[in-house]
Amino acid sequence: MRNEISTAMSTSTLSTLIKKTLKQKLAVLVPDWDGRVLDVPASGEVLAGPCAVVAFAEEVPKSAWAGYRRIIKISPYARPEDGCAEKVEAWSADLIEGLHQVRLVDEAGGAFTCIYLGSSDSDRVDSGSGMVTRSLRFGVYVPEGSGDSLAETGDGWLAALQGWTQQELGSNWSVYGDVWPGGYKKPSVLWRLAGCSTSVAGTSALEVRQQWIGHVLTDYPVLTRHTVNRLIEQLAVQARIAVTEMGSEEHEGKTRYVTVDEVTADLQTDAYLNGQIRLTLQQRIRRPGTNVPLIREIHHSKGME
């Protein structure tokens, strides 16, 4: 399976695969269209409805954890005799429910995720066909990460957080670090580092703080909310999390502990893109000293003649 955008694959080829996959999905979501999911009509062409039009809009900067991003507009068209505005409203609800945070796989094995971004304009009447339409904006994200849950990482804190989460939720959950992999599965949790800082704690210690963001993604809103609350509660009562040191030969393999300083959640934010959990971990370490010799030189003379 292709888990990332190949450098050999052109953007146009990728767009073609994404659009074809979306058209097939839309035809299933709204049987009323009878498979009429179309590209933008040519100048002077009159649409025959009911139908939908799929069009690519702007590209947006790549997300470090969600991958390549492209905006796509989906516009359902309803005839006056079919109820117009009511039909457009109902079809829009079906599209949002059927596509938001849904992972689709194209015929080449590539995966992408759709995120609903809102409607770009109000309902309007198409001058050519007389049908009512509305444009729905979706972000299409192509994850570029590859790897499995609990993949090896050089970050001891991340590995510890992944391990704790896996133990808390069980083996039926996938737990990822840093980025969404192309083959991510649900239910899943992604932890990524958002920031870090250090401060002096006395004359011989430093306090290291790291801010983490947790994404909880499932197919069911009730399960998502329940899991976010569960992780928040367990982290709040967790005294410390064991971290296996990595990196230097002097400390590698030794166990240290990080403590939970603060944890909050926003259940309204987008699970896939923004993450619901904000977590601060801290650890106190010995402050490295400066190796300065106490006596730089000794001059000695016997003073004998």
Side-chain angles (χ1 to χ4, degrees):
M1 175 177 286
R2 172 174 58 81
N3 290 330
E4 60 185 40
I5 301 175
S6 171
T7 55
M9 177 179 289
S10 67
T11 301
S12 61
T13 302
L14 178 65
S15 298
T16 299
L17 288 170
I18 290 174
K19 184 179 287 189
K20 182 176 181 180
T21 305
L22 276 172
K23 286 181 176 180
Q24 293 170 347
K25 179 67 173 180
L26 296 179
V28 173
L29 287 176
V30 185
D32 289 347
W33 295 335
D34 197 23
R36 289 186 294 271
V37 183
L38 313 170
D39 292 326
V40 176
S43 178
E45 181 182 353
V46 178
L47 293 171
C51 64
V53 169
V54 178
F56 276 105
E58 72 273 19
E59 290 188 30
V60 289
K62 186 173 69 173
S63 166
W65 60 93
Y68 169 85
R69 298 189 288 177
R70 186 75 183 267
I71 305 300
I72 195 165
K73 291 184 178 180
I74 302 174
S75 304
Y77 285 77
R79 298 177 300 184
E81 59 266 34
D82 293 331
C84 281
E86 292 79 8
K87 275 293 186 181
V88 168
E89 186 70 26
W91 291 339
S92 297
D94 290 339
L95 293 176
I96 295 168
E97 182 180 357
L99 289 178
H100 181 54
Q101 293 185 356
V102 171
R103 176 179 177 268
L104 300 175
V105 180
D106 62 40
E107 62 184 19
F112 62 93
T113 299
C114 299
I115 303 293
Y116 177 60
L117 302 177
S119 179
S120 59
D121 52 28
S122 59
D123 290 1
R124 66 187 188 278
V125 177
D126 178 62
S127 59
S129 64
M131 292 188 290
V132 172
T133 185
R134 173 192 306 174
S135 292
L136 306 177
R137 297 177 77 250
F138 286 86
V140 174
Y141 296 77
V142 185
E144 294 184 284
S146 60
D148 300 320
S149 58
L150 290 176
E152 288 190 16
T153 173
D155 190 324
W157 291 38
L158 175 57
L161 192 53
Q162 287 182 272
W164 178 87
T165 306
Q166 190 76 76
Q167 184 176 9
E168 182 66 31
L169 298 181
S171 59
N172 61 317
W173 283 75
S174 298
V175 184
Y176 305 109
D178 292 329
V179 300
W180 288 110
Y184 76 87
K185 300 176 182 178
K186 297 181 185 180
S188 57
V189 176
L190 167 71
W191 288 107
R192 60 182 175 86
L193 181 65
C196 57
S197 62
T198 61
S199 59
V200 176
T203 58
S204 61
L206 288 175
E207 188 172 86
V208 180
R209 296 163 63 87
Q210 292 188 355
Q211 292 79 42
W212 294 86
I213 295 178
H215 304 244
V216 178
L217 192 62
T218 79
D219 286 321
Y220 309 102
V222 173
L223 176 60
T224 300
R225 291 195 299 271
H226 172 77
T227 305
V228 170
N229 288 330
R230 177 180 175 181
L231 292 177
I232 289 292
E233 291 173 1
Q234 293 304 312
L235 284 167
V237 301
Q238 182 77 20
R240 58 184 186 173
I241 298 175
V243 175
T244 301
E245 293 290 334
M246 302 179 181
S248 66
E249 294 182 1
E250 179 183 357
H251 299 292
E252 184 158 5
K254 293 183 179 180
T255 299
R256 292 179 177 269
Y257 293 89
V258 295
T259 58
V260 176
D261 179 62
E262 183 180 10
V263 59
T264 60
D266 181 358
L267 293 172
Q268 300 302 313
T269 194
D270 185 279
Y272 179 84
L273 186 59
N274 298 317
Q276 308 98 317
I277 301 174
R278 301 295 184 271
L279 169 66
T280 300
L281 300 176
Q282 66 177 18
Q283 182 186 72
R284 184 165 292 193
I285 62 174
R286 184 178 298 277
R287 188 178 184 183
T290 305
N291 296 322
V292 178
L294 297 177
I295 302 176
R296 295 183 63 184
E297 295 180 358
I298 298 177
H299 297 278
H300 176 69
S301 175
K302 292 182 179 181
M304 295 179 62
E305 297 183 359

